[in-house]
Amino acid sequence: MEFRSCLAALRRRARMSQLELAHASTVSQRHISFLESGRASPGPGVVGKLSKALQLTFQDTNRLYESAGLKAPSKAFVWDDQEFSVSRATIEALMTKHAPFPALATRRCGNILMSNQVYQTLIDWAFMQPGAVRPQAHVFTNLFDLTLHPNGLIQFMDNPDEIIPHSLRRLRSAAASSTAAAAVLAEIDRYKHLQPFAEIQDKGESLHASVLVERYHLGQAKVSLVSMVASFGSPEDVTTQEIQVELFFPADDETRTFFDKLNTPNMHTGSD
């Protein structure tokens, strides 16, 4: 994408006028107009001021620099890079210690990077229940898609009118600052079964509780979960800034007992 188009798109996404961006960045409105029309080319100093004023993520800052033909300022490690090993090991240790409850690490767009064994066991067990429809393999690679796909976790939800709007709001919030999340949202917005949920506001229990309780039926088992999302407090690269660790906790004693049983030999398909 050319710089002029990239800047205009990021400015509109931030819901800022050229004048508002000028005030926030100290770059003149006239110059911003010239940049967006292609009549002027930016230097690194101007791009830096605009990036800061737009409050861009490392990823979008890199994209803006690269669209101007400039070197991206922030390092983007690959998940499997040796340089990323400390961050990766920290995430893995956190998820391992979270057993016997499920945990996973995702990018902001929902792409799953890592999960603990409890999460993998839970998902496998859920889709082996009588009557469950298993989606295609690619659905399991993205948490938002797995939650909202017509053959995903939605088929097990007892309170979809709370879980689905909440999930859509999370994805839309991520899409506001992540092009990858915006692409996931564009795909999910095509699911016709979600249209009735798109404008639902918080209601029911969620109005009277500090956290959303997600309620599912898995065979004869009733599972109630609350989640906590954690991230690195001082990310130093694009990859780390994009990672979120989601930890799930039981919301009642029945769910706690369910997880105590989940990995035992007598926890077979169709049992509770």
Side-chain angles (χ1 to χ4, degrees):
M1 182 182 291
E2 295 181 346
F3 178 82
R4 60 180 182 176
S5 300
C6 188
L7 175 60
L10 291 170
R11 176 179 60 77
R12 287 193 294 268
R13 192 180 71 185
R15 298 182 179 180
M16 297 178 73
S17 66
Q18 289 184 348
L19 180 59
E20 288 170 331
L21 180 56
H23 286 318
S25 66
T26 69
V27 177
S28 72
Q29 182 183 5
R30 174 186 173 90
H31 191 49
I32 292 173
S33 176
F34 280 11
L35 290 171
E36 291 192 2
S37 67
R39 295 173 63 187
S41 299
V46 168
V47 178
K49 290 180 179 179
L50 295 172
S51 299
K52 184 176 181 179
L54 290 167
Q55 298 183 348
L56 300 181
T57 63
F58 289 165
Q59 183 182 48
D60 282 333
T61 296
N62 281 359
R63 185 160 64 96
L64 190 61
Y65 272 83
E66 290 167 352
S67 71
L70 301 170
K71 182 180 178 181
S74 299
K75 176 69 176 176
F77 291 110
V78 176
W79 175 260
D80 292 325
D81 280 351
Q82 176 61 34
E83 295 89 340
F84 198 72
S85 60
V86 172
S87 298
R88 192 171 57 247
T90 300
I91 293 169
E92 184 174 10
L94 175 61
M95 292 194 300
T96 299
K97 289 181 179 297
H98 192 61
F101 309 121
L104 68 164
T106 70
R107 296 191 186 279
R108 295 190 67 206
C109 65
N111 287 347
I112 298 173
L113 296 166
M114 180 188 289
S115 61
N116 66 5
Q117 185 59 53
V118 180
Y119 170 84
Q120 296 173 38
T121 301
L122 175 65
I123 294 300
D124 288 343
W125 187 84
F127 284 97
M128 288 192 297
Q129 296 309 296
V133 179
R134 190 176 183 88
Q136 294 178 316
H138 69 85
V139 174
F140 291 91
T141 65
N142 183 280
L143 183 60
F144 288 116
D145 204 13
L146 179 60
T147 301
L148 300 170
H149 189 277
N151 293 331
L153 297 178
I154 192 171
Q155 64 187 295
F156 308 117
M157 293 178 186
D158 284 337
N159 56 335
D161 58 334
E162 293 178 327
I163 299 173
I164 294 174
H166 174 78
S167 298
L168 289 172
R169 283 193 295 273
R170 278 186 60 182
L171 179 54
R172 290 196 176 102
S173 177
S177 59
S178 167
T179 53
V184 173
L185 177 61
E187 289 296 319
I188 286 178
D189 273 343
R190 296 175 183 173
Y191 293 158
K192 294 182 179 180
H193 69 284
L194 297 179
Q195 291 176 1
F197 297 94
E199 303 302 325
I200 291 179
Q201 302 298 314
D202 287 319
K203 64 177 188 177
E205 289 186 26
S206 60
L207 288 178
H208 306 286
S210 58
V211 294
L212 171 66
V213 178
E214 301 181 24
R215 303 186 187 280
Y216 300 90
H217 56 271
L218 306 176
Q220 297 181 21
K222 297 289 186 178
V223 178
S224 299
L225 299 167
V226 295
S227 72
M228 175 183 292
V229 178
S231 60
F232 285 94
S234 55
E236 297 298 326
D237 77 291
V238 174
T239 306
T240 306
Q241 188 181 52
E242 285 287 301
I243 292 175
Q244 297 179 325
V245 179
E246 188 150 9
L247 307 172
F248 292 90
F249 296 85
D252 54 34
D253 290 339
E254 182 179 1
T255 301
R256 187 177 298 274
T257 299
F258 169 83
F259 281 108
D260 287 340
K261 294 180 178 179
L262 184 60
N263 293 309
T264 60
N266 62 352
M267 192 68 171
H268 57 81
T269 301
S271 70
D272 61 358

